[in-house]
Every structure is written in C-alpha cells, then in structure tokens.
Amino acid sequence: MQNKNMSDIIEAYIKSVLQENQRIEIQRKQIADHFDCVPSQINYVIKTRFTPENGYAVESKRGGGGYIRIMKLAIVDDSEIIDAMLSVIDDTVTLRNAIAIINNLAANDVINQREAEIMFSAIDKDALGKFINAPEVRAVILKNMLLKLKYQETK
C-alpha cells in the first residue's frame, strides 16, 4: 500500500465494506478518525469516486446525527445501465467522467475491454484536443456510442 495515496486507501476501504452490503451508512468523522485525516478528505473521496458514473448513489444528511449513505446501483440489464449513464451526461462531459462511464460499462460486462479501449480513443485528448468545445463534442460522441449499444441491431 505504500504507493497508494490516502484517497485510494479510503476508497478501497469503502468498497470493501460495500462488497458485503449493497448499502452502507457512514459518518464522516468516524471514518476520518479511523484514517487519521480530516473529514473533508472523506467528502472528496465520496464526491469524486462514488458517483453515478462509477455505479453508486450517495445520500447525505448533515448535522449531529448526520450520515452519508452509499448504495451500489443495482443493474438489472444492459439497457438499464446505459440509461443510467445517459442520464448523467449533460451537454458537456469531462474526460474524467467519460472514462468513469466507460469503465463502469466494462465492469458490468456491457462492453468488453477491447470495446472500452476503442471508446477511450474516441473521446480522449488526442482525438478531441484541437476542439475548443471538446467537452461538448465528447458528450455527443459518448451519448451516440451509448445509444448504439442500447439499440443494437438484431441479426
């Protein structure tokens, strides 16, 4: 674990707890105390790594009895996960979020690793770097690929 930063360690811990349960409730302060870090570090990990793009839903309640509830999204079929990914793409999408979406598709066996690599190459900085509006172009390309996955032609 010496090459991992604190965010990676916290993420791994939360994911290990989520393997046992589909839903967990945590308190920022307790987790921060456990890892000897500030509660804002916990917020950062949850905000950046436990997103719908990554296959999670998060609810939080602030205050003395506050908690953060993290739920692993249950996917019934491929079209449901594709719809979930389409719903998080606005008119623009960052490269980071696009990568998370593609990784989520691969993790849920909607696409294979080769298809993921092709999708990555279509939305990365090498392909879109010269566009001033790269986040908008990336969103259009990613939405189109997702729709093609959802509505594959039957042979």
Side-chain angles (χ1 to χ4, degrees), residues 48-62:
T48 60
R49 303 190 184 192
F50 292 90
T51 63
E53 295 92 341
N54 290 315
Y56 299 93
V58 176
E59 298 173 358
S60 66
K61 179 183 174 222
R62 297 200 178 264

Side-chain angles (χ1 to χ4, degrees), residues 40-105:
S40 62
Q41 179 79 37
I42 308 303
N43 288 344
Y44 170 79
V45 170
I46 291 168
K47 185 174 183 159
T48 60
R49 303 190 184 192
F50 292 90
T51 63
E53 295 92 341
N54 290 315
Y56 299 93
V58 176
E59 298 173 358
S60 66
K61 179 183 174 222
R62 297 200 178 264
Y67 61 84
I68 299 173
R69 182 178 296 142
I70 304 172
M71 297 154 285
K72 197 168 189 177
L73 296 175
I75 304 302
V76 176
D77 62 26
D78 290 355
S79 67
E80 186 176 315
I81 191 169
I82 292 169
D83 285 341
M85 296 302 99
L86 282 166
S87 73
V88 298
I89 302 172
D90 294 318
D91 293 335
T92 65
V93 66
T94 64
L95 180 58
R96 179 184 184 144
N97 285 345
I99 289 170
I101 288 168
I102 295 168
N103 282 332
N104 193 6
L105 294 171

Side-chain angles (χ1 to χ4, degrees), residues 95 98-99 102 117-131 134 138 141:
L95 180 58
I99 289 170
I102 295 168
E117 292 299 325
I118 293 168
M119 291 175 78
F120 289 139
S121 69
I123 54 97
D124 72 8
K125 290 179 183 174
D126 291 338
L128 303 179
K130 295 183 187 207
F131 290 96
R138 184 178 298 112
I141 291 169

